Amino acid sequence: MQLTSLDIIFFLAFVAFVVGFAIFMSRKERDSTDYFLAGRGATWPLIGFSLIAANISTEQFVGMSGAGAGNAGLAIASYEWIAAITLVIVALFFLPRFLRAGIFTIPEYLEYRYSPAARVVMSLLLLTMFVFITTVAVVFSGGVTLDIFFGNHTYPLIGEVTLVKGIWAIGLVAVIYTAFGGLRAVLWADLVQGSALILGGAAVTLFTLKAAGGWNAAMAHAEVSKRMHMVLPSDHPELPWTIFLLGIWIPNLYYWGLNQYITQRTLAAKTLRAGQLGVMFAACLKLIIPFVIVIPGILAPLVLGDKLQPGMETANDPVYPMLIRELIGPGWRGFVLAALAGAVISSLASMLNSASTIFTMDVYKRLIMPSASQISLVWLGRITTILFMIIACVLAPSLADPRFGGVFKFIQEFQGLFSPGILAAFVVGFAVPRAPAAAAIVGMVISPLVYGVMKWPVGWYLTSKYVFETAETRAADVFAKLGTAPGGFDRFMGYLYDMAFLNRMGITFVIILIVMAIITKLAPLREPRTMPVSQNFDMQSSRSVSIVGGAVVLVTVGLYVFFW
């Protein structure tokens, strides 16, 4: 179905308004504090909306909705509902430490707590994730969305639209206002796009429910009801119930508490109270996100039928764009598409701004040019923003390879190389005052090694010894098919190979904690390090923060009980 003129008008008008509005609101950036932290003047509604807009992009709409249509079902919503509790933890325990220290970046905190070397190690790990994993995945998922709508059609000036052209178009729009206006431009754009995102997602949910005959009719359908469970068996390949013991908390605590492109919004808070209320506001919004992302995906097999791609039992990335194309009428379709485009542009802008912040402040200013002027820092931030976007656009088309298992799985699994070590460095740093810098550095460095050994060398070993049809074939299935009785070592290797990646992250995290504990025991600090205290910053909290946090936790538990 080709878009109507009304759809295209809505789409182009929305994108133009967001870019123009963001540039106008950030036109007075003067120094690095203005450019990278919006002058430390962000209020709680701006922070809350920006957190959601930065987080929810087409990798969620495309990836999570596709997982909902696959074998994960509603359980994929754990990434959202566990995140709500995680945000409460971040607001109460992480954020006060960071704001009190007056830091620009999260790696900067490690320099104060451990050493300059710890800061550099984390900075390089974050840059690797931003440039080669998250931005690549987000721009690819945005390209998929545009390809579903505009693909196979020829337009004036640009000719036939392809996946690659969609990727570059999204990257170009994101880089324009990010490079020009910095974080303030990103925050104001997020306010508009976050609102449109929730409204557009709600519209898709309502249209999908209508096509399914309403909630009761949909739930009576066997294919739908079997996907409406939050707790899955222990042998589920991706989301077994065992992930709640430790695994799912690792990417959530890292992402919401230590991931620069998310936490940069909270570091820009006007006061501690504003920062905490902004985070709590985001937690409340996270509770409704699955209803506008995952539910449409769960209903997709029912309402789309044979229009879905065959053989996509694990994930079906094109599901959400197809729902918009098939179910949403002219006008509304253009608005929803514009909201999705805004989502991917918002996330990309956030990642680009944070990647440039880390490179400029943690690498260039700290190691290369400590005496760099404010103007040169701002311009370097703009240049690196453009460079990082080019790299992401070049790499993004490779994610079309089905061996990656869908865009959402790609992000979560490959971030697992780094997030356990980063989280361990901060947890030990918070809890063990005498933990030395060597413990944090070793923990972050061995994280990809420990996780990677359980993932890839084990797979190569089993593939060379047994017949594996695809990269996604499970060792247990191969053993059963061959009718063999593998030895104890091979059974153990098969267990590691079949393990859900969240459980693999949990094991990696525990191993790192043990290694850090040994190093701390052998070479503890003689005296705990003295952390800096930011002057003239209001560190007063509010009772309302704890009240809202308690309510979020209770509602989250209630949702798990209801959808058990």
Side-chain angles (χ1 to χ4, degrees), residues 142-479:
V144 168
T145 302
L146 293 186
D147 185 52
I148 292 292
F149 283 96
F150 297 103
N152 302 319
H153 296 297
T154 301
Y155 297 87
L157 300 180
I158 62 174
E160 183 179 353
V161 174
T162 64
L163 173 63
V164 174
K165 284 185 178 179
I167 287 171
W168 283 95
I170 287 174
L172 177 63
V173 175
V175 83
I176 287 174
Y177 74 81
T178 308
F180 181 86
L183 183 61
R184 196 188 305 273
V186 173
L187 288 173
W188 282 108
D190 286 351
L191 180 63
V192 178
Q193 291 168 164
S195 304
L197 188 64
I198 295 173
L199 181 60
V204 175
T205 301
L206 293 175
F207 279 108
T208 306
L209 280 171
K210 181 180 178 181
W215 179 266
N216 292 334
M219 294 304 109
H221 198 277
E223 284 298 311
V224 173
S225 61
K226 75 177 185 180
R227 290 186 171 91
M228 293 298 294
H229 297 285
M230 291 298 300
V231 181
L232 300 179
S234 60
D235 62 348
H236 192 274
E238 295 179 40
L239 294 168
W241 68 264
T242 50
I243 64 171
F244 296 108
L245 299 178
L246 181 59
I248 200 168
W249 297 97
I250 294 171
N252 269 286
L253 285 169
Y254 155 74
Y255 182 89
W256 292 105
L258 306 174
N259 183 356
Q260 177 67 26
Y261 100 85
I262 290 295
T263 55
Q264 191 158 340
R265 284 139 177 74
T266 60
L267 297 181
K270 190 174 184 179
T271 64
L272 173 61
R273 179 179 180 274
Q276 289 181 317
L277 286 177
V279 174
M280 293 297 182
F281 180 38
C284 294
L285 294 176
K286 292 297 282 184
L287 296 176
I288 67 174
I289 294 299
F291 295 104
V292 299
I293 296 181
V294 183
I295 295 298
I298 292 173
L299 299 180
L302 177 61
V303 300
L304 294 178
D306 57 6
K307 294 178 181 178
L308 289 178
Q309 295 182 15
M312 300 290 286
E313 291 80 12
T314 300
N316 198 328
D317 283 348
V319 158
Y320 203 86
M322 290 178 68
L323 286 171
I324 300 172
R325 187 185 68 185
E326 300 295 332
L327 302 180
I328 311 299
W332 261 113
R333 190 188 305 126
F335 175 78
V336 173
L337 180 59
L340 282 178
V344 67
I345 291 168
S346 175
S347 289
L348 280 175
S350 304
M351 294 171 191
L352 292 171
N353 181 255
S354 296
S356 67
T357 302
I358 289 175
F359 180 82
T360 303
M361 304 304 295
D362 289 329
V363 178
Y364 180 78
K365 189 176 188 300
R366 184 68 182 81
L367 300 177
I368 302 173
M369 189 66 65
S371 60
S373 67
Q374 293 294 312
I375 294 297
S376 66
L377 293 177
V378 170
W379 274 103
L380 180 63
R382 289 171 173 158
I383 293 170
T384 53
T385 294
I386 297 171
L387 176 62
F388 294 154
M389 188 72 262
I390 292 173
I391 294 173
C393 288
V394 169
L395 296 177
S398 62
L399 291 193
D401 190 328
R403 287 178 297 179
F404 285 113
V407 65
F408 193 73
K409 182 179 178 181
F410 166 78
I411 290 178
Q412 299 299 330
E413 181 150 10
F414 279 84
Q415 282 191 149
L417 287 165
F418 309 104
S419 54
I422 293 174
L423 178 61
F426 278 86
V427 168
V428 172
F430 291 160
V432 185
R434 295 185 183 276
I441 294 171
V442 170
M444 289 187 287
V445 169
I446 69 171
S447 180
L449 299 178
V450 175
Y451 183 94
V453 165
M454 287 191 286
K455 172 65 178 177
W456 288 286
V458 166
W460 295 334
Y461 167 81
L462 291 174
T463 300
S464 65
K465 194 167 185 178
Y466 299 94
V467 181
F468 278 65
E469 297 175 353
T470 70
E472 296 298 321
T473 302
R474 303 187 70 193
D477 296 334
V478 173
F479 294 157

